[in-house]
Amino acid sequence: MELAYYSDYAVRLVNTEEPARGKDSLTSVEAVRDLFGGNSSAARRAAEADVTRFRSVRGRLRAVFEAADGGEETLAVDLLNSLLLEFPVSPQISGHDHRDDDGRPLWHMHLADHPSNATAGYAAIAAMGLAFHLTEYGVDRLGLCEAAPCRNAYLDTSTNRSRRYCSDRCATRANVAAYRARKRLAADRTGSTGLAATSAQRTTANGER
């Protein structure tokens, strides 16, 4: 499993809430288990108490994205470091379930957690994954969607650091909104120009009398 995969844990958790819309999908044990994806053994550890604990970690991870998105690089790193200290992992070399054409293991790095509960395990992987992404690509690659009121978290892996939205849907919505705003502005300017021209014509006519 590639280390970059783990950074998606953080994004998935943060995006269970849309504060500006008043939406929160993290309301049950089932929702917590869904966040683990295919990691069924980890998901089975989830209990009712993890719902509240997951929400707490979610707020701290969102704070990392908010700091990064706001250009507060040192703050983003400090917040992430606090999570890494609280929720440690043990890097291990693994080859399970991955074989080459000759049947030999495809060795790769794996983050082994030793959690006391489901939240600790998930938080450890999410924080470490985000740390790998931050150090590999830079703090400015952690963003929040600019298509208001979305503000979902995303990881920018574009070659020119140009990503601004969490999804194609939000990008399209923002582009349509910008186009309509330009059309309204152009119409307002045309209307103002027309009014000014009419006023000038009246002034000229009055002067000729």
Coordinates of all heavy atoms in Angstrom, one line a residue, residues 101-162:
D101 N 4.6 -11.2 -10.8 CA 4.3 -12.3 -11.8 C 5.0 -13.6 -11.4 O 4.5 -14.7 -11.8 CB 4.7 -11.9 -13.2 CG 3.9 -10.8 -13.7 OD1 2.8 -10.6 -13.2 OD2 4.3 -10.1 -14.7
D102 N 6.0 -13.6 -10.6 CA 6.8 -14.8 -10.2 C 6.3 -15.3 -8.9 O 6.9 -16.2 -8.3 CB 8.3 -14.5 -10.2 CG 8.8 -14.2 -11.6 OD1 8.3 -14.8 -12.6 OD2 9.7 -13.3 -11.7
G103 N 5.3 -14.6 -8.3 CA 4.8 -15.0 -7.0 C 5.5 -14.5 -5.8 O 5.3 -14.9 -4.7
R104 N 6.5 -13.6 -6.1 CA 7.2 -13.0 -5.0 C 6.5 -11.8 -4.4 O 5.8 -11.1 -5.1 CB 8.6 -12.6 -5.4 CG 9.5 -13.8 -5.9 CD 10.9 -13.2 -6.4 NE 10.7 -12.3 -7.5 CZ 11.7 -11.8 -8.2 NH1 12.9 -12.0 -7.8 NH2 11.4 -11.0 -9.2
P105 N 6.7 -11.6 -3.1 CA 6.0 -10.4 -2.5 C 6.4 -9.1 -3.1 O 7.6 -8.9 -3.3 CB 6.4 -10.5 -1.0 CG 6.8 -12.0 -0.8 CD 7.5 -12.4 -2.1
L106 N 5.5 -8.2 -3.2 CA 5.8 -6.8 -3.6 C 5.9 -6.0 -2.4 O 4.9 -5.6 -1.8 CB 4.7 -6.3 -4.5 CG 4.6 -6.9 -5.9 CD1 3.4 -6.4 -6.7 CD2 5.8 -6.7 -6.7
W107 N 7.1 -5.9 -1.9 CA 7.4 -5.2 -0.6 C 7.0 -3.7 -0.7 O 7.3 -3.1 -1.6 CB 8.8 -5.4 -0.1 CG 9.2 -6.8 0.0 CD1 10.1 -7.5 -0.8 CD2 8.7 -7.8 1.0 NE1 10.2 -8.8 -0.4 CE2 9.4 -9.0 0.7 CE3 7.8 -7.7 2.0 CZ2 9.1 -10.1 1.5 CZ3 7.6 -8.8 2.8 CH2 8.2 -10.0 2.5
H108 N 6.4 -3.3 0.4 CA 6.0 -1.8 0.4 C 5.9 -1.4 1.9 O 5.8 -2.3 2.8 CB 4.6 -1.6 -0.3 CG 3.5 -2.4 0.3 ND1 3.3 -3.8 0.0 CD2 2.6 -2.1 1.2 CE1 2.2 -4.2 0.6 NE2 1.8 -3.2 1.4
M109 N 5.9 -0.1 2.1 CA 5.7 0.4 3.5 C 4.3 0.3 3.9 O 3.4 0.7 3.2 CB 6.3 1.8 3.6 CG 7.8 1.9 3.4 SD 8.7 1.0 4.7 CE 8.2 1.8 6.2
H110 N 4.1 -0.1 5.2 CA 2.7 -0.2 5.7 C 2.8 0.5 7.1 O 3.7 0.4 7.8 CB 2.4 -1.6 5.9 CG 1.1 -1.9 6.6 ND1 -0.2 -1.7 5.9 CD2 0.8 -2.2 7.8 CE1 -1.1 -2.0 6.8 NE2 -0.6 -2.3 7.9
L111 N 1.7 1.3 7.4 CA 1.6 1.9 8.7 C 0.8 1.1 9.7 O -0.4 0.9 9.5 CB 1.0 3.3 8.6 CG 1.7 4.3 7.7 CD1 1.0 5.6 7.7 CD2 3.1 4.5 8.1
A112 N 1.5 0.4 10.6 CA 0.8 -0.4 11.6 C 0.5 0.4 12.8 O 1.3 1.0 13.4 CB 1.7 -1.6 12.0
D113 N -0.8 0.4 13.2 CA -1.2 1.2 14.3 C -1.5 0.2 15.5 O -1.7 -1.0 15.3 CB -2.5 2.0 14.1 CG -3.6 1.1 13.6 OD1 -3.7 0.7 12.4 OD2 -4.5 0.7 14.5
H114 N -1.3 0.7 16.7 CA -1.6 -0.2 17.9 C -2.6 0.6 18.7 O -2.2 1.1 19.8 CB -0.3 -0.4 18.6 CG 0.8 -0.9 17.7 ND1 0.9 -2.2 17.3 CD2 1.9 -0.3 17.2 CE1 1.9 -2.4 16.5 NE2 2.6 -1.2 16.4
P115 N -3.8 0.6 18.3 CA -4.8 1.5 18.9 C -5.5 0.9 20.2 O -5.6 -0.3 20.3 CB -5.8 1.7 17.8 CG -5.8 0.4 17.1 CD -4.4 0.0 17.1
S116 N -5.9 1.8 21.0 CA -6.7 1.4 22.2 C -8.2 1.4 21.8 O -9.0 0.8 22.5 CB -6.5 2.4 23.4 OG -6.7 3.7 23.0
N117 N -8.5 2.1 20.7 CA -9.8 2.1 20.2 C -9.8 2.5 18.7 O -8.7 2.8 18.1 CB -10.7 3.1 20.9 CG -10.1 4.5 21.0 OD1 -9.9 5.2 19.9 ND2 -9.7 5.0 22.2
A118 N -10.9 2.4 18.0 CA -11.0 2.6 16.6 C -10.6 4.1 16.2 O -9.9 4.3 15.2 CB -12.4 2.4 16.1
T119 N -10.9 5.0 17.0 CA -10.5 6.4 16.8 C -9.0 6.6 16.7 O -8.5 7.2 15.8 CB -11.1 7.4 17.8 OG1 -12.6 7.2 17.8 CG2 -10.8 8.8 17.5
A120 N -8.3 6.0 17.7 CA -6.9 6.2 17.8 C -6.2 5.5 16.6 O -5.3 6.1 16.0 CB -6.4 5.5 19.1
G121 N -6.7 4.4 16.1 CA -6.2 3.8 15.0 C -6.4 4.6 13.7 O -5.4 4.8 12.9
Y122 N -7.6 5.1 13.5 CA -7.9 5.9 12.3 C -7.1 7.2 12.4 O -6.5 7.6 11.4 CB -9.4 6.2 12.3 CG -9.8 6.8 10.9 CD1 -10.4 5.9 10.0 CD2 -9.7 8.1 10.6 CE1 -10.8 6.4 8.7 CE2 -10.1 8.6 9.4 CZ -10.6 7.8 8.5 OH -11.0 8.3 7.2
A123 N -7.1 7.9 13.5 CA -6.4 9.2 13.7 C -4.9 9.0 13.4 O -4.3 9.9 12.7 CB -6.6 9.7 15.0
A124 N -4.3 7.9 13.8 CA -2.9 7.7 13.6 C -2.5 7.6 12.1 O -1.6 8.2 11.6 CB -2.4 6.4 14.3
I125 N -3.3 6.8 11.4 CA -3.1 6.7 10.0 C -3.4 7.9 9.2 O -2.6 8.3 8.3 CB -4.0 5.5 9.4 CG1 -3.5 4.2 10.0 CG2 -4.0 5.5 7.9 CD1 -4.4 3.0 9.7
A126 N -4.5 8.6 9.6 CA -4.8 9.9 8.9 C -3.7 10.9 9.1 O -3.3 11.6 8.1 CB -6.2 10.4 9.4
A127 N -3.3 11.1 10.3 CA -2.3 12.1 10.6 C -0.9 11.8 9.9 O -0.3 12.7 9.3 CB -2.1 12.2 12.1
M128 N -0.5 10.5 9.9 CA 0.7 10.2 9.3 C 0.6 10.3 7.8 O 1.6 10.8 7.1 CB 1.1 8.7 9.7 CG 2.4 8.3 9.1 SD 3.8 9.3 9.7 CE 4.0 8.7 11.3
G129 N -0.5 9.9 7.2 CA -0.7 10.1 5.8 C -0.6 11.5 5.4 O 0.0 11.9 4.3
L130 N -1.3 12.4 6.1 CA -1.3 13.8 5.9 C 0.1 14.4 6.0 O 0.6 15.3 5.2 CB -2.2 14.5 6.8 CG -2.8 15.9 6.3 CD1 -3.5 15.8 5.0 CD2 -3.8 16.4 7.4
A131 N 0.9 13.9 7.0 CA 2.2 14.3 7.2 C 3.1 14.0 6.0 O 4.0 14.8 5.5 CB 2.8 13.7 8.5
F132 N 3.0 12.8 5.5 CA 3.7 12.4 4.3 C 3.4 13.3 3.1 O 4.3 13.7 2.4 CB 3.4 10.9 3.9 CG 4.3 9.9 4.7 CD1 3.6 9.0 5.6 CD2 5.6 9.9 4.6 CE1 4.4 8.1 6.3 CE2 6.4 9.0 5.3 CZ 5.8 8.1 6.1
H133 N 2.1 13.6 2.9 CA 1.7 14.4 1.8 C 2.3 15.8 2.0 O 2.8 16.4 1.0 CB 0.2 14.5 1.7 CG -0.4 15.1 0.5 ND1 -0.7 14.4 -0.6 CD2 -0.6 16.4 0.2 CE1 -1.1 15.2 -1.6 NE2 -1.0 16.5 -1.1
L134 N 2.2 16.3 3.2 CA 2.7 17.7 3.4 C 4.2 17.8 3.1 O 4.6 18.8 2.5 CB 2.4 18.1 4.8 CG 2.7 19.5 5.3 CD1 1.7 19.9 6.4 CD2 4.1 19.6 5.8
T135 N 5.0 16.9 3.6 CA 6.4 16.9 3.5 C 6.8 16.6 2.0 O 7.9 17.1 1.6 CB 7.1 16.0 4.4 OG1 6.6 14.7 4.3 CG2 6.9 16.5 5.9
E136 N 6.0 15.8 1.3 CA 6.4 15.5 0.0 C 6.0 16.6 -1.0 O 6.8 16.9 -1.9 CB 5.6 14.2 -0.4 CG 5.9 13.7 -1.9 CD 7.3 13.2 -2.1 OE1 8.0 12.9 -1.1 OE2 7.7 13.1 -3.3
Y137 N 4.9 17.2 -0.8 CA 4.4 18.2 -1.8 C 4.3 19.6 -1.3 O 4.3 20.6 -2.1 CB 2.9 17.8 -2.3 CG 2.9 16.5 -2.9 CD1 2.3 15.4 -2.3 CD2 3.3 16.3 -4.2 CE1 2.3 14.1 -2.9 CE2 3.3 15.0 -4.8 CZ 2.7 14.0 -4.2 OH 2.7 12.7 -4.8
G138 N 4.3 19.8 0.0 CA 4.3 21.2 0.5 C 3.0 21.5 1.2 O 1.9 20.9 0.9
V139 N 3.0 22.4 2.2 CA 1.9 22.8 2.9 C 0.8 23.4 2.1 O -0.4 23.2 2.3 CB 2.2 23.8 4.0 CG1 1.0 24.2 4.8 CG2 3.3 23.2 5.0
D140 N 1.2 24.1 1.0 CA 0.2 24.7 0.1 C -0.6 23.7 -0.7 O -1.5 24.1 -1.4 CB 0.8 25.8 -0.8 CG 1.9 25.2 -1.6 OD1 2.4 24.1 -1.3 OD2 2.3 25.9 -2.6
R141 N -0.3 22.4 -0.6 CA -1.0 21.4 -1.3 C -2.2 20.9 -0.5 O -2.9 20.0 -1.0 CB -0.1 20.2 -1.7 CG 1.0 20.6 -2.7 CD 0.4 21.1 -4.0 NE 1.5 21.2 -5.0 CZ 1.5 20.4 -6.1 NH1 0.6 19.6 -6.4 NH2 2.5 20.6 -7.0
L142 N -2.4 21.4 0.7 CA -3.6 21.1 1.5 C -4.6 22.3 1.3 O -4.2 23.4 1.7 CB -3.2 21.0 3.0 CG -2.7 19.6 3.5 CD1 -1.4 19.3 2.7 CD2 -2.4 19.7 5.0
G143 N -5.7 22.0 0.8 CA -6.6 23.1 0.5 C -8.1 22.9 0.9 O -8.5 21.8 1.2
L144 N -8.8 24.0 0.9 CA -10.3 23.9 1.1 C -11.0 24.5 -0.1 O -10.5 25.5 -0.7 CB -10.6 24.8 2.3 CG -10.1 24.2 3.7 CD1 -10.4 25.2 4.8 CD2 -10.8 22.9 4.0
C145 N -12.0 23.8 -0.5 CA -12.7 24.2 -1.8 C -13.1 25.6 -1.8 O -13.7 26.1 -0.8 CB -13.9 23.3 -1.9 SG -14.8 23.5 -3.5
E146 N -12.9 26.3 -2.9 CA -13.2 27.7 -3.0 C -14.7 28.0 -3.5 O -15.1 29.1 -3.6 CB -12.3 28.4 -4.0 CG -10.8 28.5 -3.4 CD -9.9 29.3 -4.3 OE1 -10.4 30.0 -5.2 OE2 -8.7 29.2 -4.1
A147 N -15.4 26.9 -3.8 CA -16.8 27.0 -4.3 C -17.7 27.1 -3.1 O -18.2 26.1 -2.6 CB -17.1 25.8 -5.2
A148 N -17.9 28.4 -2.6 CA -18.7 28.6 -1.4 C -20.1 28.1 -1.7 O -20.6 28.2 -2.9 CB -18.7 30.1 -1.1
P149 N -20.8 27.5 -0.7 CA -20.4 27.3 0.7 C -19.7 26.0 0.9 O -19.7 25.6 2.1 CB -21.7 27.4 1.4 CG -22.7 26.7 0.5 CD -22.2 27.1 -0.9
C150 N -19.1 25.3 0.0 CA -18.6 24.0 0.1 C -17.6 23.9 1.2 O -17.8 23.3 2.2 CB -18.1 23.4 -1.2 SG -17.4 21.8 -1.1
R151 N -16.4 24.3 0.9 CA -15.2 24.3 1.9 C -14.8 22.9 2.3 O -14.3 22.6 3.4 CB -15.5 25.1 3.2 CG -15.9 26.5 2.9 CD -14.8 27.3 2.2 NE -13.7 27.6 3.1 CZ -12.5 28.1 2.7 NH1 -12.2 28.2 1.4 NH2 -11.6 28.4 3.5
N152 N -15.0 21.9 1.4 CA -14.5 20.6 1.6 C -13.0 20.6 1.5 O -12.4 21.4 0.7 CB -15.1 19.6 0.6 CG -16.4 19.0 1.1 OD1 -16.8 19.1 2.2 ND2 -17.1 18.3 0.2
A153 N -12.3 19.7 2.2 CA -10.9 19.5 2.1 C -10.5 18.8 0.9 O -11.2 17.9 0.4 CB -10.4 18.9 3.3
Y154 N -9.3 19.1 0.3 CA -8.7 18.3 -0.8 C -7.2 18.3 -0.7 O -6.6 19.2 0.0 CB -9.2 18.8 -2.1 CG -8.7 20.3 -2.4 CD1 -7.5 20.5 -3.0 CD2 -9.5 21.4 -2.2 CE1 -7.0 21.7 -3.3 CE2 -9.1 22.6 -2.5 CZ -7.8 22.8 -3.0 OH -7.4 24.1 -3.3
L155 N -6.6 17.4 -1.4 CA -5.1 17.4 -1.5 C -4.8 17.7 -3.0 O -5.2 17.0 -3.9 CB -4.6 16.0 -1.1 CG -5.0 15.6 0.3 CD1 -4.6 14.1 0.5 CD2 -4.2 16.4 1.3
D156 N -4.0 18.7 -3.2 CA -3.6 19.1 -4.5 C -2.4 18.3 -5.0 O -1.3 18.4 -4.5 CB -3.3 20.6 -4.5 CG -3.0 21.2 -5.9 OD1 -3.1 20.4 -6.9 OD2 -2.7 22.4 -6.0
T157 N -2.6 17.5 -6.0 CA -1.5 16.8 -6.6 C -1.3 17.2 -8.1 O -0.6 16.5 -8.8 CB -1.8 15.2 -6.6 OG1 -3.0 15.0 -7.3 CG2 -1.9 14.7 -5.2
S158 N -1.8 18.3 -8.5 CA -1.6 18.9 -9.8 C -0.2 19.2 -10.0 O 0.5 19.6 -9.1 CB -2.5 20.1 -10.1 OG -2.2 21.1 -9.2
T159 N 0.3 19.2 -11.3 CA 1.7 19.5 -11.6 C 2.0 21.0 -11.4 O 3.1 21.3 -11.1 CB 2.0 19.1 -13.0 OG1 1.1 19.8 -13.9 CG2 1.9 17.6 -13.2
N160 N 1.0 21.9 -11.5 CA 1.3 23.3 -11.5 C 0.6 24.0 -10.2 O 0.4 25.2 -10.2 CB 0.8 24.0 -12.7 CG -0.7 23.8 -13.0 OD1 -1.3 23.0 -12.3 ND2 -1.2 24.4 -14.0
R161 N 0.3 23.2 -9.2 CA -0.3 23.7 -8.0 C -1.5 24.6 -8.3 O -1.7 25.7 -7.7 CB 0.7 24.5 -7.2 CG 2.0 23.7 -6.8 CD 3.0 24.5 -6.2 NE 4.2 23.7 -5.8 CZ 4.4 23.2 -4.6 NH1 3.5 23.4 -3.7 NH2 5.5 22.5 -4.4
S162 N -2.4 24.1 -9.2 CA -3.5 25.0 -9.6 C -4.8 24.6 -9.1 O -5.8 25.3 -9.3 CB -3.6 25.0 -11.1 OG -3.8 23.7 -11.6

